[in-house]
Every structure is written in C-alpha cells, then in structure tokens.
Amino acid sequence: NAGVTQTPKFRVLKTGQSMTLLCAQDMNHEYMYWYRQDPGMGLRLIHYSVGEGTTAKGEVPDGYNVSRLKKQNFLLGLESAAPSQTSVYFCAAGTGYEQYFGPGTRLTVT
Amino acid sequence: RKEVEQDPGPFNVPEGATVAFNCTYSNSASQSFFWYRQDCRKEPKLLMSVYSSGNEDGRFTAQLNRASQYISLLIRDSKLSDSATYLCVVKGTNAGKSTFGDGTTLTVKP
C-alpha cells in the first residue's frame, strides 16, 4: 500500500498563477488534512475534511480552497498564488486521532 | 500563549545518553496526545500515542500529567538515528482536529 501520496513533489509558480495540489490515500480513512510548514516552524492546518463531500477551515485558510469529491482524494487549490504561500505542504489522512502524512509538496512562489 | 508549547532546543547529547522532552498544552479539555518524529525535509511520522497510564515502546517512554497539563517523552540509550525533530500533538474536542507543537530538535553525537 502506498499510504498517502502527493502530487506534485515540487513546483515553482509566478505570483498570480493558480494550481491544484492532489492528495490521495489508500487507507480508507475518513479524515484528511492539509498543512503548511514554514522553515523552523510547526505545522499549521489550512483545511480539513471529516468525510467525503465535507470540508472545514483550519487555522490559516485564506488564499486556499479545497474539495473532497471522493473519499480517497483531497485537493488543495491556490487561485492566485502569492510569495507568502511559499512553503512545504503536507497532506495527511487519519482516524480522527492518529494522522499519516504524505511526503510533501515544496512550493515556491516568485 | 500557544495552545501547545515545546522547548525548541536544540538538544545535543552523546550516544547512549538519556534525554527528556516536555510539552505543555493550554486546553484542559484536550482528549488525546501523541508524539511524532520528523526527519529533516521529510514528513512527520507517528512515534507513539500517550496514554493516561503512561506507555513504553522499547527505549521510548511517554507520560501524561493532566493536572499540570503536560506530556513528556523520554529516550533512553540514545542512538545516532534518533536525531530528528520531535513534535508534540494534542487533540481537543473538535472532531478530527489536532494542534501540533513547533517541535524539539535532538542531535545525537558519536
């Protein structure tokens, strides 16, 4: 089993461009999460989902949108990228208690 | 005050040493507690859950003190491979959401 996978692994965007990050899990977990991690800092929750078709805001949701049309996928969208969104993005899936993370997407916005 | 606070370190210890990390949390209604390990430029991985009675997994011991609102992680007989950042995670009453500490960095030296 692959666990949690993320696509792409790396991306460079220009300010104002849009993109979608894909997270997929094969563990059949109800809960999925998107975090960002900036250098020397902890994980900050962007959005999360408690099941297929549901989404909720986390700690830092501004500038991001999400969708969970299928249980195994959780998409994170940036409509108009800004340099402040340069970060490492981690997706996780879990039981509502433990969480299992994907390998991350390194995004640079110039 | 942050919801979850950790001493960022770094902790530099020789191989074979015993080292302990503490983590304090502010929400007395918090329900579940975990320690994650994150290697440099990698995703966080679940190290162990923390139970009220305390729990041990090999060289690692986790304890919870609800009265003082802190959890601890003790590593005995440190190995070079224990070098990583250790993240304290606290789950509140909100379904699925957890709060991550900023992490404590451990370097084990020969």
Short mmCIF file of all heavy atoms in Angstrom, two decimals, chain B residues 23-71:
data_model
loop_
_atom_site.label_atom_id
_atom_site.label_comp_id
_atom_site.label_asym_id
_atom_site.label_seq_id
_atom_site.Cartn_x
_atom_site.Cartn_y
_atom_site.Cartn_z
N CYS B 23 6.25 18.93 26.94
CA CYS B 23 5.35 19.69 26.09
C CYS B 23 4.17 20.09 26.96
O CYS B 23 3.60 19.26 27.66
CB CYS B 23 4.89 18.79 24.93
SG CYS B 23 3.46 19.39 24.02
N THR B 24 3.81 21.38 26.94
CA THR B 24 2.66 21.83 27.73
C THR B 24 1.52 22.20 26.79
O THR B 24 1.75 22.64 25.66
CB THR B 24 3.01 23.03 28.61
OG1 THR B 24 3.48 24.10 27.76
CG2 THR B 24 4.10 22.68 29.60
N TYR B 25 0.30 22.01 27.27
CA TYR B 25 -0.88 22.36 26.47
C TYR B 25 -1.82 23.21 27.32
O TYR B 25 -1.85 23.08 28.54
CB TYR B 25 -1.57 21.11 25.93
CG TYR B 25 -2.07 20.15 26.98
CD1 TYR B 25 -3.39 20.20 27.42
CD2 TYR B 25 -1.24 19.16 27.50
CE1 TYR B 25 -3.86 19.31 28.37
CE2 TYR B 25 -1.69 18.28 28.45
CZ TYR B 25 -3.00 18.35 28.89
OH TYR B 25 -3.46 17.47 29.84
N SER B 26 -2.59 24.07 26.64
CA SER B 26 -3.39 25.06 27.37
C SER B 26 -4.84 24.65 27.57
O SER B 26 -5.50 25.14 28.49
CB SER B 26 -3.33 26.41 26.66
OG SER B 26 -3.85 26.29 25.35
N ASN B 27 -5.35 23.77 26.72
CA ASN B 27 -6.76 23.41 26.79
C ASN B 27 -6.96 22.20 27.70
O ASN B 27 -6.58 21.07 27.35
CB ASN B 27 -7.29 23.09 25.38
CG ASN B 27 -8.79 22.81 25.38
OD1 ASN B 27 -9.42 22.71 26.43
ND2 ASN B 27 -9.35 22.68 24.21
N SER B 28 -7.56 22.42 28.84
CA SER B 28 -7.72 21.34 29.82
C SER B 28 -8.69 20.26 29.33
O SER B 28 -8.72 19.17 29.87
CB SER B 28 -8.21 21.90 31.16
OG SER B 28 -9.45 22.57 30.98
N ALA B 29 -9.48 20.57 28.29
CA ALA B 29 -10.42 19.59 27.75
C ALA B 29 -9.78 18.69 26.69
O ALA B 29 -10.46 17.85 26.11
CB ALA B 29 -11.63 20.31 27.16
N SER B 30 -8.51 18.86 26.43
CA SER B 30 -7.83 18.06 25.41
C SER B 30 -7.98 16.58 25.73
O SER B 30 -7.94 16.17 26.89
CB SER B 30 -6.35 18.43 25.33
OG SER B 30 -6.20 19.77 24.93
N GLN B 31 -8.15 15.80 24.66
CA GLN B 31 -8.52 14.40 24.86
C GLN B 31 -7.40 13.41 24.58
O GLN B 31 -7.27 12.40 25.27
CB GLN B 31 -9.69 14.06 23.93
CG GLN B 31 -10.96 14.81 24.23
CD GLN B 31 -12.08 14.40 23.29
OE1 GLN B 31 -11.85 13.94 22.19
NE2 GLN B 31 -13.31 14.58 23.75
N SER B 32 -6.64 13.67 23.53
CA SER B 32 -5.66 12.67 23.09
C SER B 32 -4.34 13.36 22.81
O SER B 32 -4.30 14.53 22.42
CB SER B 32 -6.15 11.96 21.83
OG SER B 32 -7.41 11.39 22.03
N PHE B 33 -3.27 12.58 22.98
CA PHE B 33 -1.93 13.15 22.91
C PHE B 33 -1.01 12.20 22.17
O PHE B 33 -1.12 10.97 22.31
CB PHE B 33 -1.41 13.39 24.34
CG PHE B 33 -2.39 14.15 25.19
CD1 PHE B 33 -3.37 13.48 25.91
CD2 PHE B 33 -2.35 15.54 25.25
CE1 PHE B 33 -4.30 14.17 26.68
CE2 PHE B 33 -3.27 16.24 26.02
CZ PHE B 33 -4.24 15.55 26.72
N PHE B 34 -0.09 12.79 21.39
CA PHE B 34 0.78 11.97 20.56
C PHE B 34 2.16 12.61 20.47
O PHE B 34 2.31 13.83 20.62
CB PHE B 34 0.21 11.87 19.13
CG PHE B 34 -1.24 11.43 19.08
CD1 PHE B 34 -2.26 12.36 19.12
CD2 PHE B 34 -1.56 10.10 18.98
CE1 PHE B 34 -3.58 11.97 19.08
CE2 PHE B 34 -2.88 9.69 18.95
CZ PHE B 34 -3.90 10.63 19.00
N TRP B 35 3.13 11.78 20.17
CA TRP B 35 4.45 12.26 19.76
C TRP B 35 4.70 11.79 18.33
O TRP B 35 4.47 10.62 17.99
CB TRP B 35 5.55 11.71 20.67
CG TRP B 35 5.62 12.38 22.00
CD1 TRP B 35 5.15 11.92 23.19
CD2 TRP B 35 6.22 13.66 22.28
NE1 TRP B 35 5.41 12.83 24.19
CE2 TRP B 35 6.07 13.90 23.65
CE3 TRP B 35 6.88 14.62 21.50
CZ2 TRP B 35 6.54 15.06 24.27
CZ3 TRP B 35 7.34 15.76 22.10
CH2 TRP B 35 7.17 15.98 23.48
N TYR B 36 5.15 12.73 17.49
CA TYR B 36 5.56 12.44 16.13
C TYR B 36 7.04 12.75 15.99
O TYR B 36 7.59 13.59 16.72
CB TYR B 36 4.78 13.31 15.12
CG TYR B 36 3.37 12.86 14.85
CD1 TYR B 36 2.38 13.00 15.81
CD2 TYR B 36 3.03 12.29 13.63
CE1 TYR B 36 1.08 12.59 15.57
CE2 TYR B 36 1.73 11.88 13.37
CZ TYR B 36 0.76 12.03 14.34
OH TYR B 36 -0.52 11.63 14.09
N ARG B 37 7.65 12.09 15.04
CA ARG B 37 9.05 12.34 14.72
C ARG B 37 9.11 12.87 13.29
O ARG B 37 8.44 12.37 12.39
CB ARG B 37 9.82 11.03 14.82
CG ARG B 37 11.22 11.09 14.29
CD ARG B 37 11.80 9.72 14.06
NE ARG B 37 13.05 9.87 13.34
CZ ARG B 37 14.21 9.42 13.79
NH1 ARG B 37 14.28 8.77 14.94
NH2 ARG B 37 15.31 9.60 13.09
N GLN B 38 9.95 13.91 13.08
CA GLN B 38 10.12 14.44 11.73
C GLN B 38 11.61 14.57 11.43
O GLN B 38 12.32 15.31 12.10
CB GLN B 38 9.43 15.81 11.58
CG GLN B 38 9.48 16.34 10.16
CD GLN B 38 8.68 17.61 9.95
OE1 GLN B 38 8.44 18.37 10.89
NE2 GLN B 38 8.23 17.83 8.71
N ASP B 39 12.05 13.83 10.44
CA ASP B 39 13.42 13.96 9.97
C ASP B 39 13.52 15.14 9.01
O ASP B 39 12.52 15.58 8.43
CB ASP B 39 13.85 12.67 9.27
CG ASP B 39 13.95 11.51 10.25
OD1 ASP B 39 14.80 11.58 11.15
OD2 ASP B 39 13.16 10.56 10.14
N CYS B 40 14.73 15.63 8.85
CA CYS B 40 14.96 16.84 8.06
C CYS B 40 14.38 16.68 6.65
O CYS B 40 14.69 15.71 5.94
CB CYS B 40 16.46 17.13 8.00
SG CYS B 40 16.84 18.69 7.22
N ARG B 41 13.52 17.60 6.26
CA ARG B 41 12.93 17.66 4.93
C ARG B 41 12.04 16.45 4.60
O ARG B 41 11.85 16.10 3.44
CB ARG B 41 14.02 17.83 3.87
CG ARG B 41 14.85 19.09 4.05
CD ARG B 41 15.98 19.18 3.05
NE ARG B 41 15.52 19.44 1.70
CZ ARG B 41 15.24 20.63 1.23
NH1 ARG B 41 15.34 21.69 2.00
NH2 ARG B 41 14.85 20.80 -0.02
N LYS B 42 11.54 15.81 5.66
CA LYS B 42 10.65 14.66 5.48
C LYS B 42 9.32 14.93 6.16
O LYS B 42 9.16 15.92 6.88
CB LYS B 42 11.27 13.41 6.09
CG LYS B 42 12.58 12.99 5.45
CD LYS B 42 12.33 12.35 4.10
CE LYS B 42 13.61 11.71 3.58
NZ LYS B 42 13.39 11.08 2.26
N GLU B 43 8.36 14.03 5.95
CA GLU B 43 7.06 14.18 6.58
C GLU B 43 7.10 13.70 8.03
O GLU B 43 7.90 12.82 8.38
CB GLU B 43 5.99 13.40 5.80
CG GLU B 43 6.05 11.88 5.94
CD GLU B 43 6.97 11.24 4.92
OE1 GLU B 43 7.88 11.92 4.39
OE2 GLU B 43 6.76 10.04 4.67
N PRO B 44 6.23 14.25 8.89
CA PRO B 44 6.11 13.73 10.25
C PRO B 44 5.61 12.29 10.24
O PRO B 44 4.78 11.92 9.40
CB PRO B 44 5.08 14.66 10.90
CG PRO B 44 5.04 15.86 10.03
CD PRO B 44 5.33 15.39 8.64
N LYS B 45 6.11 11.51 11.20
CA LYS B 45 5.64 10.13 11.34
C LYS B 45 5.27 9.88 12.79
O LYS B 45 5.98 10.32 13.70
CB LYS B 45 6.72 9.15 10.89
CG LYS B 45 6.99 9.22 9.40
CD LYS B 45 7.97 8.16 8.95
CE LYS B 45 8.17 8.24 7.43
NZ LYS B 45 9.14 7.24 6.94
N LEU B 46 4.17 9.18 13.00
CA LEU B 46 3.70 8.88 14.34
C LEU B 46 4.72 8.04 15.08
O LEU B 46 5.13 6.97 14.61
CB LEU B 46 2.36 8.15 14.26
CG LEU B 46 1.73 7.75 15.58
CD1 LEU B 46 1.35 8.98 16.41
CD2 LEU B 46 0.50 6.87 15.35
N LEU B 47 5.14 8.53 16.24
CA LEU B 47 6.08 7.79 17.08
C LEU B 47 5.31 6.96 18.11
O LEU B 47 5.50 5.76 18.23
CB LEU B 47 7.03 8.77 17.77
CG LEU B 47 8.09 8.19 18.69
CD1 LEU B 47 9.07 7.34 17.90
CD2 LEU B 47 8.82 9.29 19.44
N MET B 48 4.45 7.63 18.85
CA MET B 48 3.65 6.90 19.81
C MET B 48 2.51 7.76 20.33
O MET B 48 2.60 8.98 20.35
CB MET B 48 4.49 6.39 20.99
CG MET B 48 5.24 7.43 21.75
SD MET B 48 6.59 6.76 22.77
CE MET B 48 5.78 5.50 23.73
N SER B 49 1.45 7.08 20.73
CA SER B 49 0.36 7.75 21.43
C SER B 49 0.73 7.85 22.89
O SER B 49 1.60 7.11 23.37
CB SER B 49 -0.93 6.95 21.28
OG SER B 49 -1.26 6.77 19.92
N VAL B 50 0.11 8.76 23.61
CA VAL B 50 0.39 8.95 25.03
C VAL B 50 -0.87 8.64 25.82
O VAL B 50 -1.89 9.31 25.64
CB VAL B 50 0.85 10.39 25.33
CG1 VAL B 50 1.30 10.51 26.78
CG2 VAL B 50 1.97 10.81 24.39
N TYR B 51 -0.80 7.64 26.67
CA TYR B 51 -1.97 7.23 27.44
C TYR B 51 -1.88 7.76 28.87
O TYR B 51 -0.79 8.06 29.37
CB TYR B 51 -2.09 5.71 27.44
CG TYR B 51 -2.12 5.11 26.06
CD1 TYR B 51 -1.19 4.17 25.66
CD2 TYR B 51 -3.09 5.51 25.14
CE1 TYR B 51 -1.22 3.62 24.39
CE2 TYR B 51 -3.12 4.97 23.87
CZ TYR B 51 -2.19 4.03 23.50
OH TYR B 51 -2.21 3.50 22.23
N SER B 52 -3.02 7.85 29.50
CA SER B 52 -3.06 8.40 30.87
C SER B 52 -2.17 7.62 31.82
O SER B 52 -1.59 8.20 32.75
CB SER B 52 -4.50 8.38 31.39
OG SER B 52 -5.31 9.22 30.62
N SER B 53 -2.04 6.33 31.58
CA SER B 53 -1.25 5.47 32.47
C SER B 53 0.22 5.47 32.09
O SER B 53 1.02 4.80 32.75
CB SER B 53 -1.80 4.05 32.44
OG SER B 53 -1.83 3.58 31.11
N GLY B 54 0.55 6.22 31.04
CA GLY B 54 1.92 6.18 30.55
C GLY B 54 2.13 4.96 29.67
O GLY B 54 1.44 3.95 29.82
N ASN B 55 3.05 5.04 28.74
CA ASN B 55 3.32 3.88 27.90
C ASN B 55 4.76 3.89 27.43
O ASN B 55 5.42 4.94 27.39
CB ASN B 55 2.36 3.81 26.72
CG ASN B 55 2.21 5.08 25.94
OD1 ASN B 55 1.89 6.13 26.53
ND2 ASN B 55 2.41 5.03 24.66
N GLU B 56 5.22 2.69 27.13
CA GLU B 56 6.62 2.48 26.79
C GLU B 56 6.69 1.68 25.50
O GLU B 56 5.90 0.76 25.26
CB GLU B 56 7.29 1.71 27.93
CG GLU B 56 8.79 1.58 27.81
CD GLU B 56 9.39 0.94 29.06
OE1 GLU B 56 9.06 1.40 30.17
OE2 GLU B 56 10.16 -0.01 28.91
N ASP B 57 7.65 2.06 24.66
CA ASP B 57 7.88 1.32 23.42
C ASP B 57 9.39 1.24 23.23
O ASP B 57 10.02 2.18 22.74
CB ASP B 57 7.23 2.03 22.23
CG ASP B 57 7.39 1.26 20.94
OD1 ASP B 57 7.97 0.16 20.95
OD2 ASP B 57 6.93 1.76 19.89
N GLY B 58 9.97 0.13 23.70
CA GLY B 58 11.41 -0.01 23.61
C GLY B 58 12.13 1.03 24.44
O GLY B 58 11.92 1.13 25.65
N ARG B 59 12.94 1.85 23.80
CA ARG B 59 13.71 2.86 24.52
C ARG B 59 12.92 4.15 24.78
O ARG B 59 13.44 5.08 25.38
CB ARG B 59 14.97 3.20 23.70
CG ARG B 59 15.92 2.03 23.48
CD ARG B 59 17.15 2.44 22.69
NE ARG B 59 16.83 2.78 21.30
CZ ARG B 59 16.84 4.00 20.81
NH1 ARG B 59 17.16 5.03 21.58
NH2 ARG B 59 16.56 4.23 19.53
N PHE B 60 11.71 4.20 24.31
CA PHE B 60 10.90 5.41 24.39
C PHE B 60 9.78 5.24 25.42
O PHE B 60 9.07 4.24 25.42
CB PHE B 60 10.27 5.72 23.02
CG PHE B 60 11.27 6.00 21.94
CD1 PHE B 60 11.90 4.97 21.26
CD2 PHE B 60 11.60 7.30 21.62
CE1 PHE B 60 12.84 5.23 20.27
CE2 PHE B 60 12.53 7.57 20.63
CZ PHE B 60 13.14 6.54 19.96
N THR B 61 9.65 6.26 26.29
CA THR B 61 8.59 6.26 27.29
C THR B 61 7.85 7.59 27.22
O THR B 61 8.49 8.65 27.24
CB THR B 61 9.14 6.07 28.70
OG1 THR B 61 9.85 4.83 28.77
CG2 THR B 61 8.03 6.08 29.74
N ALA B 62 6.53 7.53 27.13
CA ALA B 62 5.71 8.73 27.10
C ALA B 62 4.84 8.78 28.34
O ALA B 62 4.34 7.75 28.79
CB ALA B 62 4.85 8.75 25.84
N GLN B 63 4.68 9.98 28.89
CA GLN B 63 3.83 10.13 30.06
C GLN B 63 2.95 11.36 29.92
O GLN B 63 3.31 12.32 29.24
CB GLN B 63 4.70 10.24 31.33
CG GLN B 63 5.44 8.95 31.64
CD GLN B 63 5.97 8.93 33.05
OE1 GLN B 63 6.54 9.92 33.48
NE2 GLN B 63 5.78 7.83 33.75
N LEU B 64 1.81 11.30 30.59
CA LEU B 64 0.83 12.39 30.56
C LEU B 64 0.55 12.83 31.99
O LEU B 64 0.32 12.00 32.87
CB LEU B 64 -0.47 11.91 29.91
CG LEU B 64 -1.72 12.78 30.06
CD1 LEU B 64 -1.53 14.13 29.39
CD2 LEU B 64 -2.94 12.06 29.50
N ASN B 65 0.57 14.12 32.22
CA ASN B 65 0.20 14.68 33.51
C ASN B 65 -0.94 15.66 33.27
O ASN B 65 -0.72 16.81 32.88
CB ASN B 65 1.40 15.39 34.15
CG ASN B 65 1.09 15.89 35.56
OD1 ASN B 65 0.01 16.42 35.82
ND2 ASN B 65 2.04 15.74 36.46
N ARG B 66 -2.17 15.19 33.47
CA ARG B 66 -3.33 16.04 33.18
C ARG B 66 -3.45 17.20 34.16
O ARG B 66 -3.87 18.29 33.80
CB ARG B 66 -4.62 15.20 33.22
CG ARG B 66 -4.82 14.33 32.00
CD ARG B 66 -6.23 13.76 31.96
NE ARG B 66 -6.44 12.87 30.83
CZ ARG B 66 -6.83 13.27 29.64
NH1 ARG B 66 -7.02 14.56 29.39
NH2 ARG B 66 -7.00 12.39 28.66
N ALA B 67 -3.08 16.98 35.38
CA ALA B 67 -3.21 18.04 36.40
C ALA B 67 -2.35 19.24 36.03
O ALA B 67 -2.77 20.40 36.18
CB ALA B 67 -2.83 17.50 37.77
N SER B 68 -1.14 18.97 35.56
CA SER B 68 -0.22 20.05 35.20
C SER B 68 -0.25 20.35 33.71
O SER B 68 0.47 21.24 33.24
CB SER B 68 1.20 19.71 35.62
OG SER B 68 1.27 19.52 37.02
N GLN B 69 -1.03 19.60 32.96
CA GLN B 69 -1.22 19.81 31.52
C GLN B 69 0.10 19.74 30.77
O GLN B 69 0.46 20.69 30.04
CB GLN B 69 -1.99 21.11 31.26
CG GLN B 69 -3.41 21.04 31.78
CD GLN B 69 -4.25 22.27 31.51
OE1 GLN B 69 -5.17 22.59 32.24
NE2 GLN B 69 -3.95 22.99 30.45
N TYR B 70 0.80 18.65 30.93
CA TYR B 70 1.97 18.45 30.10
C TYR B 70 2.15 16.97 29.79
O TYR B 70 1.65 16.10 30.50
CB TYR B 70 3.24 19.02 30.74
CG TYR B 70 3.85 18.22 31.85
CD1 TYR B 70 4.72 17.15 31.59
CD2 TYR B 70 3.58 18.54 33.18
CE1 TYR B 70 5.29 16.42 32.62
CE2 TYR B 70 4.15 17.81 34.21
CZ TYR B 70 5.00 16.76 33.93
OH TYR B 70 5.55 16.06 34.95
N ILE B 71 2.83 16.73 28.67
CA ILE B 71 3.23 15.37 28.32
C ILE B 71 4.74 15.36 28.15
O ILE B 71 5.36 16.41 27.93
CB ILE B 71 2.53 14.86 27.04
CG1 ILE B 71 2.99 15.62 25.80
CG2 ILE B 71 1.03 14.95 27.18
CD1 ILE B 71 2.46 15.03 24.51
#
